[in-house]
């Protein structure tokens, strides 16, 4: 039995049909004998629409209230996806970021995950349920207010949970069938990459490739989480982003993350499982 974290981006859940398509894939993965944790983004362009709505009401924008507003997008998709899975005969429970134990610092709009305590997620999957977690959000350790992780942050939620749960793989489902040498929508001659090291992917993300949230790649490398970036619209094999076996050791020696700009991500419970 494998533990798989599946993250579905906004384009994969842009309408009811998309949510039902995702539900089928999740139920199939679970029925194949895997434990499944799903991280979901807000539907389609709904985060942009919420930002636009706020802009019609206020120009200043209160950072705390903005995070309350934006985190609502992922709550909608998580609940609808749980309903769609249950409708197909599966058994799913949805959780907000704070219910899932995503603890962050207090920087609204660009919070960093500083601890992950996914007790409730672990209990749900041990019971045989699919656990669905709202991406992109957490709760401040200091103020207990809701925070968001920055645009595209659901990727980072997925990898942080995968690390904390000791998942075998973190699958990132999107609207292209993998990582290309350049954005295939801008450069039609770009080539699909089958496998790339976390280190090379980190360089690509840092130099602006917008396919994965930069911090998600940093966590994947640091915690040795294999990523599989693939399309939710097909069954094709996507791109594997693989940490090298000694990445974790090297990183401990170099300790590049242990700086004020990258506080340690702690995963209190449960410890990664040995398989
Ligand atoms: P999601 O809503 O699933 O999170 P994103 O919009 O964040 O999707 O990421 C998917 C998009 O990333 C693709 O539609 C593609 O246009 C873009 N993209 C940018 N750079 C790359 C790249 N190097 N390889 C593949 N896709 C890329
Ligand atoms: N919904 C958020 C955004 O649009 C987070 C995400 O999609 O990952 O940026
Ligand atoms: Mg994204």
């Amino acid at each position: 039995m494998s533990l798989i974290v599946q993250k579905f981006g906004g384009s994969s859940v842009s309408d009811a049909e998309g949510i039902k398509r995702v539900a089928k894939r999740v139920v199939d993965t679970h029925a194949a004998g895997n434990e499944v944790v799903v991280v979901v983004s807000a539907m389609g362009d709904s985060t942009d629409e919420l930002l636009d709505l706020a802009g019609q009401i206020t120009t200043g924008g209160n950072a705390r209230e903005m995070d309350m507003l934006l985190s609502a997008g992922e709550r909608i998709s998580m609940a609808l996806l749980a309903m769609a899975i249950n409708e197909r005969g599966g058994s799913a429970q949805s959780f907000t970021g704070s219910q899932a134990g995503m603890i962050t610092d207090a920087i609204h709009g660009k919070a960093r995950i500083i601890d992950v305590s996914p007790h409730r997620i672990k209990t749900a999957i041990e019971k045989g349920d699919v656990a669905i977690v709202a991406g992109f959000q957490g709760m401040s350790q200091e103020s207990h207010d809701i925070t968001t992780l920055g645009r595209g942050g659901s990727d980072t939620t997925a990898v942080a949970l995968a690390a904390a749960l000791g998942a075998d793989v973190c699958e990132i489902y999107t609207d292209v069938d993998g990582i290309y040498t350049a954005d295939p929508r801008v450069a039609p001659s770009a080539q699909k990459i089958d496998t790339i090291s976390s280190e090379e992917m980190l360089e690509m993300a840092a130099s602006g490739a917008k396919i994965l949230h930069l911090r998600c790649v940093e966590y994947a490398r640091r915690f040795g989480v294999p990523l599989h970036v693939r399309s939710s619209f097909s069954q094709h094999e996507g791109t594997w982003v693989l940490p090298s076996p000694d990445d974790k050791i090297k990183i401990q020696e170099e300790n590049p993350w242990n700086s004020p700009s990258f506080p340690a991500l702690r995963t209190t419970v449960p410890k990664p499982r040995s398989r």
Side-chain angles (χ1 to χ4, degrees):
M1 185 194 280
S2 296
L3 170 53
I4 302 179
V5 174
Q6 299 187 315
K7 179 259 170 178
F8 294 91
S11 53
S12 301
V13 291
S14 60
D15 55 16
E17 281 318 304
I19 290 173
K20 289 183 197 174
R21 196 185 56 246
V22 166
K24 177 177 179 340
R25 190 179 283 260
V26 171
V27 169
D28 289 349
T29 309
H30 191 254
N34 301 296
E35 291 177 322
V36 187
V37 175
V38 177
V39 173
V40 73
S41 291
M43 294 172 69
D45 295 328
S46 60
T47 306
D48 289 325
E49 288 159 12
L50 290 172
L51 277 167
D52 185 60
L53 200 53
Q56 294 176 45
I57 288 171
T58 168
T59 45
N62 174 304
R64 178 188 184 278
E65 300 311 328
M66 195 62 94
D67 276 357
M68 284 301 245
L69 177 71
L70 296 187
S71 62
E74 271 69 14
R75 275 180 95 128
I76 292 170
S77 39
M78 75 177 193
L80 291 172
L81 181 57
M83 289 177 199
I85 290 171
N86 294 337
E87 196 65 27
R88 287 195 76 86
S91 178
Q93 291 183 67
S94 65
F95 299 91
T96 63
S98 67
Q99 287 176 320
M102 310 296 301
I103 307 300
T104 72
D105 63 18
I107 305 170
H108 285 292
K110 221 174 175 31
R112 290 162 204 273
I113 298 168
I114 53 177
D115 198 1
V116 186
S117 307
H119 300 274
R120 297 193 63 185
I121 305 308
K122 198 164 179 260
T123 305
I125 57 177
E126 280 171 356
K127 182 175 163 256
D129 285 351
V130 171
I132 302 175
V133 179
F136 172 61
Q137 55 183 264
M139 186 179 74
S140 157
Q141 193 172 40
E142 294 161 36
S143 63
H144 296 183
D145 281 332
I146 300 302
T147 54
T148 62
L149 308 180
R151 299 304 305 269
S154 300
D155 296 338
T156 296
T157 304
V159 172
L161 265 176
L165 294 166
D168 296 277
V169 59
C170 180
E171 297 182 332
I172 307 278
Y173 286 92
T174 184
D175 58 355
V176 285
D177 60 5
I179 297 166
Y180 283 70
T181 46
D183 186 342
R185 294 185 201 286
V186 178
S189 62
Q191 302 286 307
K192 188 181 150 199
I193 299 165
D194 292 331
T195 308
I196 184 170
S197 70
S198 303
E199 198 165 350
E200 285 169 312
M201 190 60 226
L202 205 50
E203 280 164 27
M204 265 181 86
S207 58
K210 290 245 180 313
I211 176 92
L212 290 174
H213 199 229
L214 176 60
R215 209 164 283 155
C216 134
V217 187
E218 290 171 338
Y219 287 160
R221 180 174 178 231
R222 180 177 180 197
F223 288 98
V225 177
L227 302 179
H228 187 186
V229 180
R230 56 193 307 195
S231 170
S232 70
F233 297 84
S234 79
Q235 297 293 333
H236 298 148
E237 185 85 353
T239 300
W240 284 88
V241 182
L242 297 174
S244 78
D246 50 19
D247 259 352
K248 277 198 276 190
I249 300 158
K250 239 177 14 207
I251 283 165
Q252 271 164 17
E253 283 168 0
E254 294 167 4
N255 213 3
W257 315 120
N258 199 8
S259 70
S261 63
F262 195 84
L265 168 68
R266 288 188 292 127
T267 58
T268 43
V269 279
K271 289 284 166 245
R273 301 187 302 187
S274 52
R275 283 164 203 282

